[in-house]
Amino acid sequence: MTIEEARNIINTDYSEVNAANNIFLNTERDVPFIQSEAMNSMRGIVHGFTTRLGGVSEGIYESLNMGLHLDDDKSKVLENYRRLGESMGFDYTRISAPNQVHKTNILDVKEEDAGDGISRELTHFEIDAQITNVPNIPLICYAADCVPILLADPISRVVASVHAGWRGTVQGIAAKTIYKMINDYGCLPENIHAFIGPSIGPDNYEVDQTVIDEIIKCPYIDTSQENLSYTDINNSSDVYVICHSGSYLRDNMPEDYIGITQTNKGASFSIFRTVRFRNRYMLNLWSLNELIMINSGLKFGNIYNSRLCTMKNHDLFFSHRYTKGRRGLNAGVIMLK
């Protein structure tokens, strides 16, 4: 894929009040990377999501594979890191690169963690989110269909990276990271911005009933019947299942709900749709994570969604489902300067 073709897929062109929501491919240097216009305007914050372009890996890992623990040539992967760091403006040898396992453990990254898993042996295992207020330590999260999320509070100068597959999402990895930013770092939720990176989209993420059951039990959204609604799909027996933000005050409030409450029903989010002829569902991890973050106190206007599907755009991004696991890894990186 050419740079121009990638731009046509990635770049948005919102104007006036919506301009902050623009997503664009930064091609100023050798390795292109995806940025949010809003986050790009924040002083002292480096951020971006990778594509497959600009690296030296070969075969199923072509070309910018960021996965160090796959079967790719490690020297080539490290060269990919070096190139990305040079293009984004960070020292790749200082990246904190823990092992991800679809759990909700969060690492407070300190100066002594710089380079862990990159320039020295990995010591942080089973970590799916990282937070720091230490300058010049890039935080990384990996994905190949899962949802990577970058968080930034430009006022308190705190950043975080989050890896949210469906398991981490329903366990509240994004919410738990936000709460930790608030409780441990003094952030105000209204000052936190979130950038949702390339991941599998709602038209391509087919799941079964067991996944939907776990979503319905997620304590970070109110899935009681009073807070759900349904929208018919034209010329079909299928429906979009809509969950409203927050939990509105009423007599039968859900006991296990964790999140904001309000006096009226909140904004609506389509979290999945039925596919009855297959007895399956199409899951919208983008909306689900947006909803969870709003229920954690973030402003809707401070959440920027790339809406780039890794499976649909498998020539541009690594996709686990499309390749049946024969792939490299995309990455999101964020750092304070």
Side-chain angles (χ1 to χ4, degrees), residues 192-218:
I192 299 174
H193 297 249
F195 186 14
I196 297 174
S199 41
I200 195 165
D203 293 330
N204 290 292
Y205 196 15
E206 185 178 287
V207 300
D208 60 20
Q209 185 67 50
T210 59
V211 175
I212 297 303
D213 290 343
E214 292 301 313
I215 289 167
I216 296 300
K217 293 188 292 185
C218 174

PDB file of all heavy atoms in Angstrom, residues 192-218:
ATOM      1  N   ILE A 192      -9.138  14.626  31.106  1.00  0.00           N
ATOM      2  CA  ILE A 192      -8.533  13.453  30.470  1.00  0.00           C
ATOM      3  C   ILE A 192      -9.086  13.292  29.053  1.00  0.00           C
ATOM      4  O   ILE A 192     -10.298  13.336  28.828  1.00  0.00           O
ATOM      5  CB  ILE A 192      -8.798  12.183  31.286  1.00  0.00           C
ATOM      6  CG1 ILE A 192      -8.182  12.310  32.693  1.00  0.00           C
ATOM      7  CG2 ILE A 192      -8.229  10.961  30.574  1.00  0.00           C
ATOM      8  CD1 ILE A 192      -8.522  11.162  33.622  1.00  0.00           C
ATOM      9  N   HIS A 193      -8.187  13.105  28.101  1.00  0.00           N
ATOM     10  CA  HIS A 193      -8.544  12.874  26.708  1.00  0.00           C
ATOM     11  C   HIS A 193      -8.179  11.437  26.337  1.00  0.00           C
ATOM     12  O   HIS A 193      -7.187  10.895  26.828  1.00  0.00           O
ATOM     13  CB  HIS A 193      -7.802  13.847  25.795  1.00  0.00           C
ATOM     14  CG  HIS A 193      -8.144  15.279  26.041  1.00  0.00           C
ATOM     15  ND1 HIS A 193      -8.851  16.050  25.137  1.00  0.00           N
ATOM     16  CD2 HIS A 193      -7.875  16.097  27.098  1.00  0.00           C
ATOM     17  CE1 HIS A 193      -8.997  17.273  25.618  1.00  0.00           C
ATOM     18  NE2 HIS A 193      -8.413  17.315  26.810  1.00  0.00           N
ATOM     19  N   ALA A 194      -8.970  10.842  25.438  1.00  0.00           N
ATOM     20  CA  ALA A 194      -8.738   9.451  25.023  1.00  0.00           C
ATOM     21  C   ALA A 194      -8.727   9.350  23.505  1.00  0.00           C
ATOM     22  O   ALA A 194      -9.545   9.975  22.822  1.00  0.00           O
ATOM     23  CB  ALA A 194      -9.827   8.548  25.594  1.00  0.00           C
ATOM     24  N   PHE A 195      -7.808   8.560  22.995  1.00  0.00           N
ATOM     25  CA  PHE A 195      -7.688   8.320  21.558  1.00  0.00           C
ATOM     26  C   PHE A 195      -7.771   6.815  21.330  1.00  0.00           C
ATOM     27  O   PHE A 195      -6.909   6.063  21.778  1.00  0.00           O
ATOM     28  CB  PHE A 195      -6.351   8.885  21.064  1.00  0.00           C
ATOM     29  CG  PHE A 195      -6.141   8.836  19.571  1.00  0.00           C
ATOM     30  CD1 PHE A 195      -7.174   8.593  18.682  1.00  0.00           C
ATOM     31  CD2 PHE A 195      -4.860   9.044  19.047  1.00  0.00           C
ATOM     32  CE1 PHE A 195      -6.969   8.559  17.313  1.00  0.00           C
ATOM     33  CE2 PHE A 195      -4.632   9.014  17.678  1.00  0.00           C
ATOM     34  CZ  PHE A 195      -5.685   8.768  16.809  1.00  0.00           C
ATOM     35  N   ILE A 196      -8.840   6.382  20.659  1.00  0.00           N
ATOM     36  CA  ILE A 196      -9.064   4.972  20.361  1.00  0.00           C
ATOM     37  C   ILE A 196      -8.430   4.656  19.009  1.00  0.00           C
ATOM     38  O   ILE A 196      -8.777   5.260  17.993  1.00  0.00           O
ATOM     39  CB  ILE A 196     -10.564   4.641  20.333  1.00  0.00           C
ATOM     40  CG1 ILE A 196     -11.186   4.888  21.716  1.00  0.00           C
ATOM     41  CG2 ILE A 196     -10.796   3.199  19.898  1.00  0.00           C
ATOM     42  CD1 ILE A 196     -12.692   4.718  21.754  1.00  0.00           C
ATOM     43  N   GLY A 197      -7.497   3.708  18.999  1.00  0.00           N
ATOM     44  CA  GLY A 197      -6.735   3.428  17.803  1.00  0.00           C
ATOM     45  C   GLY A 197      -7.335   2.354  16.913  1.00  0.00           C
ATOM     46  O   GLY A 197      -8.413   1.806  17.193  1.00  0.00           O
ATOM     47  N   PRO A 198      -6.649   2.036  15.826  1.00  0.00           N
ATOM     48  CA  PRO A 198      -7.119   1.013  14.888  1.00  0.00           C
ATOM     49  C   PRO A 198      -7.361  -0.324  15.570  1.00  0.00           C
ATOM     50  O   PRO A 198      -6.526  -0.803  16.345  1.00  0.00           O
ATOM     51  CB  PRO A 198      -5.964   0.923  13.878  1.00  0.00           C
ATOM     52  CG  PRO A 198      -5.282   2.256  13.957  1.00  0.00           C
ATOM     53  CD  PRO A 198      -5.378   2.652  15.398  1.00  0.00           C
ATOM     54  N   SER A 199      -8.497  -0.930  15.288  1.00  0.00           N
ATOM     55  CA  SER A 199      -8.907  -2.186  15.926  1.00  0.00           C
ATOM     56  C   SER A 199     -10.072  -2.741  15.125  1.00  0.00           C
ATOM     57  O   SER A 199     -10.606  -2.070  14.249  1.00  0.00           O
ATOM     58  CB  SER A 199      -9.301  -1.937  17.386  1.00  0.00           C
ATOM     59  OG  SER A 199     -10.053  -0.744  17.523  1.00  0.00           O
ATOM     60  N   ILE A 200     -10.486  -3.941  15.439  1.00  0.00           N
ATOM     61  CA  ILE A 200     -11.550  -4.563  14.654  1.00  0.00           C
ATOM     62  C   ILE A 200     -12.861  -3.806  14.845  1.00  0.00           C
ATOM     63  O   ILE A 200     -13.239  -3.452  15.963  1.00  0.00           O
ATOM     64  CB  ILE A 200     -11.689  -6.054  14.998  1.00  0.00           C
ATOM     65  CG1 ILE A 200     -12.529  -6.773  13.951  1.00  0.00           C
ATOM     66  CG2 ILE A 200     -12.223  -6.263  16.414  1.00  0.00           C
ATOM     67  CD1 ILE A 200     -12.424  -8.284  14.007  1.00  0.00           C
ATOM     68  N   GLY A 201     -13.548  -3.543  13.733  1.00  0.00           N
ATOM     69  CA  GLY A 201     -14.745  -2.716  13.774  1.00  0.00           C
ATOM     70  C   GLY A 201     -16.029  -3.509  13.917  1.00  0.00           C
ATOM     71  O   GLY A 201     -16.047  -4.747  13.835  1.00  0.00           O
ATOM     72  N   PRO A 202     -17.145  -2.806  14.110  1.00  0.00           N
ATOM     73  CA  PRO A 202     -18.431  -3.454  14.399  1.00  0.00           C
ATOM     74  C   PRO A 202     -19.008  -4.256  13.239  1.00  0.00           C
ATOM     75  O   PRO A 202     -19.887  -5.085  13.446  1.00  0.00           O
ATOM     76  CB  PRO A 202     -19.342  -2.278  14.765  1.00  0.00           C
ATOM     77  CG  PRO A 202     -18.705  -1.081  14.120  1.00  0.00           C
ATOM     78  CD  PRO A 202     -17.238  -1.338  14.167  1.00  0.00           C
ATOM     79  N   ASP A 203     -18.517  -4.048  12.025  1.00  0.00           N
ATOM     80  CA  ASP A 203     -19.011  -4.823  10.888  1.00  0.00           C
ATOM     81  C   ASP A 203     -18.253  -6.129  10.699  1.00  0.00           C
ATOM     82  O   ASP A 203     -18.622  -6.947   9.844  1.00  0.00           O
ATOM     83  CB  ASP A 203     -18.910  -3.998   9.601  1.00  0.00           C
ATOM     84  CG  ASP A 203     -19.855  -2.809   9.594  1.00  0.00           C
ATOM     85  OD1 ASP A 203     -20.926  -2.911  10.236  1.00  0.00           O
ATOM     86  OD2 ASP A 203     -19.532  -1.793   8.963  1.00  0.00           O
ATOM     87  N   ASN A 204     -17.198  -6.327  11.499  1.00  0.00           N
ATOM     88  CA  ASN A 204     -16.347  -7.501  11.290  1.00  0.00           C
ATOM     89  C   ASN A 204     -16.087  -8.334  12.544  1.00  0.00           C
ATOM     90  O   ASN A 204     -15.446  -9.376  12.449  1.00  0.00           O
ATOM     91  CB  ASN A 204     -14.992  -7.055  10.724  1.00  0.00           C
ATOM     92  CG  ASN A 204     -15.105  -6.562   9.299  1.00  0.00           C
ATOM     93  OD1 ASN A 204     -15.383  -7.328   8.386  1.00  0.00           O
ATOM     94  ND2 ASN A 204     -14.924  -5.264   9.104  1.00  0.00           N
ATOM     95  N   TYR A 205     -16.594  -7.885  13.697  1.00  0.00           N
ATOM     96  CA  TYR A 205     -16.283  -8.605  14.938  1.00  0.00           C
ATOM     97  C   TYR A 205     -17.461  -9.476  15.351  1.00  0.00           C
ATOM     98  O   TYR A 205     -18.332  -9.071  16.110  1.00  0.00           O
ATOM     99  CB  TYR A 205     -15.923  -7.615  16.047  1.00  0.00           C
ATOM    100  CG  TYR A 205     -15.231  -8.272  17.232  1.00  0.00           C
ATOM    101  CD1 TYR A 205     -14.699  -9.544  17.149  1.00  0.00           C
ATOM    102  CD2 TYR A 205     -15.108  -7.600  18.438  1.00  0.00           C
ATOM    103  CE1 TYR A 205     -14.059 -10.143  18.213  1.00  0.00           C
ATOM    104  CE2 TYR A 205     -14.460  -8.177  19.525  1.00  0.00           C
ATOM    105  CZ  TYR A 205     -13.945  -9.451  19.401  1.00  0.00           C
ATOM    106  OH  TYR A 205     -13.314 -10.035  20.464  1.00  0.00           O
ATOM    107  N   GLU A 206     -17.479 -10.683  14.832  1.00  0.00           N
ATOM    108  CA  GLU A 206     -18.552 -11.622  15.136  1.00  0.00           C
ATOM    109  C   GLU A 206     -18.222 -12.401  16.398  1.00  0.00           C
ATOM    110  O   GLU A 206     -17.127 -12.934  16.546  1.00  0.00           O
ATOM    111  CB  GLU A 206     -18.736 -12.576  13.957  1.00  0.00           C
ATOM    112  CG  GLU A 206     -19.908 -13.518  14.115  1.00  0.00           C
ATOM    113  CD  GLU A 206     -20.090 -14.416  12.901  1.00  0.00           C
ATOM    114  OE1 GLU A 206     -20.544 -13.919  11.858  1.00  0.00           O
ATOM    115  OE2 GLU A 206     -19.755 -15.618  13.017  1.00  0.00           O
ATOM    116  N   VAL A 207     -19.192 -12.457  17.339  1.00  0.00           N
ATOM    117  CA  VAL A 207     -18.991 -13.159  18.608  1.00  0.00           C
ATOM    118  C   VAL A 207     -20.209 -14.025  18.902  1.00  0.00           C
ATOM    119  O   VAL A 207     -21.259 -13.895  18.272  1.00  0.00           O
ATOM    120  CB  VAL A 207     -18.754 -12.162  19.776  1.00  0.00           C
ATOM    121  CG1 VAL A 207     -17.518 -11.312  19.530  1.00  0.00           C
ATOM    122  CG2 VAL A 207     -19.980 -11.267  20.005  1.00  0.00           C
ATOM    123  N   ASP A 208     -20.056 -14.897  19.908  1.00  0.00           N
ATOM    124  CA  ASP A 208     -21.167 -15.776  20.258  1.00  0.00           C
ATOM    125  C   ASP A 208     -21.852 -15.303  21.543  1.00  0.00           C
ATOM    126  O   ASP A 208     -21.517 -14.271  22.114  1.00  0.00           O
ATOM    127  CB  ASP A 208     -20.688 -17.224  20.387  1.00  0.00           C
ATOM    128  CG  ASP A 208     -19.607 -17.401  21.465  1.00  0.00           C
ATOM    129  OD1 ASP A 208     -19.484 -16.534  22.358  1.00  0.00           O
ATOM    130  OD2 ASP A 208     -18.882 -18.413  21.405  1.00  0.00           O
ATOM    131  N   GLN A 209     -22.796 -16.093  21.996  1.00  0.00           N
ATOM    132  CA  GLN A 209     -23.621 -15.710  23.148  1.00  0.00           C
ATOM    133  C   GLN A 209     -22.805 -15.568  24.427  1.00  0.00           C
ATOM    134  O   GLN A 209     -23.117 -14.723  25.280  1.00  0.00           O
ATOM    135  CB  GLN A 209     -24.724 -16.759  23.362  1.00  0.00           C
ATOM    136  CG  GLN A 209     -25.717 -16.404  24.462  1.00  0.00           C
ATOM    137  CD  GLN A 209     -26.574 -15.203  24.105  1.00  0.00           C
ATOM    138  OE1 GLN A 209     -27.148 -15.150  23.031  1.00  0.00           O
ATOM    139  NE2 GLN A 209     -26.676 -14.227  25.011  1.00  0.00           N
ATOM    140  N   THR A 210     -21.749 -16.361  24.574  1.00  0.00           N
ATOM    141  CA  THR A 210     -20.959 -16.283  25.813  1.00  0.00           C
ATOM    142  C   THR A 210     -20.317 -14.905  25.974  1.00  0.00           C
ATOM    143  O   THR A 210     -20.228 -14.396  27.091  1.00  0.00           O
ATOM    144  CB  THR A 210     -19.867 -17.373  25.836  1.00  0.00           C
ATOM    145  OG1 THR A 210     -18.998 -17.215  24.704  1.00  0.00           O
ATOM    146  CG2 THR A 210     -20.480 -18.759  25.799  1.00  0.00           C
ATOM    147  N   VAL A 211     -19.877 -14.304  24.880  1.00  0.00           N
ATOM    148  CA  VAL A 211     -19.288 -12.965  24.944  1.00  0.00           C
ATOM    149  C   VAL A 211     -20.356 -11.943  25.308  1.00  0.00           C
ATOM    150  O   VAL A 211     -20.142 -11.070  26.166  1.00  0.00           O
ATOM    151  CB  VAL A 211     -18.609 -12.601  23.609  1.00  0.00           C
ATOM    152  CG1 VAL A 211     -18.107 -11.153  23.629  1.00  0.00           C
ATOM    153  CG2 VAL A 211     -17.457 -13.553  23.319  1.00  0.00           C
ATOM    154  N   ILE A 212     -21.518 -12.041  24.675  1.00  0.00           N
ATOM    155  CA  ILE A 212     -22.608 -11.103  24.965  1.00  0.00           C
ATOM    156  C   ILE A 212     -23.040 -11.218  26.419  1.00  0.00           C
ATOM    157  O   ILE A 212     -23.313 -10.198  27.088  1.00  0.00           O
ATOM    158  CB  ILE A 212     -23.800 -11.359  24.023  1.00  0.00           C
ATOM    159  CG1 ILE A 212     -23.382 -11.109  22.572  1.00  0.00           C
ATOM    160  CG2 ILE A 212     -24.989 -10.477  24.401  1.00  0.00           C
ATOM    161  CD1 ILE A 212     -22.840  -9.725  22.289  1.00  0.00           C
ATOM    162  N   ASP A 213     -23.069 -12.424  26.953  1.00  0.00           N
ATOM    163  CA  ASP A 213     -23.441 -12.612  28.362  1.00  0.00           C
ATOM    164  C   ASP A 213     -22.481 -11.863  29.285  1.00  0.00           C
ATOM    165  O   ASP A 213     -22.907 -11.276  30.286  1.00  0.00           O
ATOM    166  CB  ASP A 213     -23.442 -14.108  28.725  1.00  0.00           C
ATOM    167  CG  ASP A 213     -24.585 -14.868  28.072  1.00  0.00           C
ATOM    168  OD1 ASP A 213     -25.536 -14.227  27.610  1.00  0.00           O
ATOM    169  OD2 ASP A 213     -24.509 -16.117  28.022  1.00  0.00           O
ATOM    170  N   GLU A 214     -21.189 -11.898  28.959  1.00  0.00           N
ATOM    171  CA  GLU A 214     -20.207 -11.188  29.777  1.00  0.00           C
ATOM    172  C   GLU A 214     -20.387  -9.678  29.659  1.00  0.00           C
ATOM    173  O   GLU A 214     -20.208  -8.944  30.645  1.00  0.00           O
ATOM    174  CB  GLU A 214     -18.783 -11.588  29.363  1.00  0.00           C
ATOM    175  CG  GLU A 214     -18.424 -13.024  29.693  1.00  0.00           C
ATOM    176  CD  GLU A 214     -18.525 -13.314  31.183  1.00  0.00           C
ATOM    177  OE1 GLU A 214     -18.018 -12.509  31.990  1.00  0.00           O
ATOM    178  OE2 GLU A 214     -19.116 -14.348  31.542  1.00  0.00           O
ATOM    179  N   ILE A 215     -20.738  -9.200  28.495  1.00  0.00           N
ATOM    180  CA  ILE A 215     -20.966  -7.761  28.307  1.00  0.00           C
ATOM    181  C   ILE A 215     -22.161  -7.302  29.137  1.00  0.00           C
ATOM    182  O   ILE A 215     -22.120  -6.257  29.789  1.00  0.00           O
ATOM    183  CB  ILE A 215     -21.169  -7.448  26.819  1.00  0.00           C
ATOM    184  CG1 ILE A 215     -19.837  -7.607  26.080  1.00  0.00           C
ATOM    185  CG2 ILE A 215     -21.722  -6.037  26.607  1.00  0.00           C
ATOM    186  CD1 ILE A 215     -19.973  -7.637  24.587  1.00  0.00           C
ATOM    187  N   ILE A 216     -23.218  -8.085  29.117  1.00  0.00           N
ATOM    188  CA  ILE A 216     -24.425  -7.727  29.879  1.00  0.00           C
ATOM    189  C   ILE A 216     -24.112  -7.653  31.372  1.00  0.00           C
ATOM    190  O   ILE A 216     -24.703  -6.855  32.105  1.00  0.00           O
ATOM    191  CB  ILE A 216     -25.554  -8.741  29.607  1.00  0.00           C
ATOM    192  CG1 ILE A 216     -25.980  -8.681  28.134  1.00  0.00           C
ATOM    193  CG2 ILE A 216     -26.740  -8.497  30.525  1.00  0.00           C
ATOM    194  CD1 ILE A 216     -26.502  -7.336  27.690  1.00  0.00           C
ATOM    195  N   LYS A 217     -23.137  -8.442  31.831  1.00  0.00           N
ATOM    196  CA  LYS A 217     -22.774  -8.434  33.256  1.00  0.00           C
ATOM    197  C   LYS A 217     -21.740  -7.369  33.610  1.00  0.00           C
ATOM    198  O   LYS A 217     -21.402  -7.210  34.783  1.00  0.00           O
ATOM    199  CB  LYS A 217     -22.225  -9.809  33.656  1.00  0.00           C
ATOM    200  CG  LYS A 217     -23.257 -10.933  33.616  1.00  0.00           C
ATOM    201  CD  LYS A 217     -22.705 -12.225  34.195  1.00  0.00           C
ATOM    202  CE  LYS A 217     -21.628 -12.820  33.345  1.00  0.00           C
ATOM    203  NZ  LYS A 217     -21.162 -14.140  33.832  1.00  0.00           N
ATOM    204  N   CYS A 218     -21.243  -6.644  32.610  1.00  0.00           N
ATOM    205  CA  CYS A 218     -20.194  -5.647  32.865  1.00  0.00           C
ATOM    206  C   CYS A 218     -20.702  -4.571  33.825  1.00  0.00           C
ATOM    207  O   CYS A 218     -21.700  -3.906  33.551  1.00  0.00           O
ATOM    208  CB  CYS A 218     -19.765  -4.998  31.546  1.00  0.00           C
ATOM    209  SG  CYS A 218     -18.601  -3.628  31.743  1.00  0.00           S
TER     210      CYS A 218
END
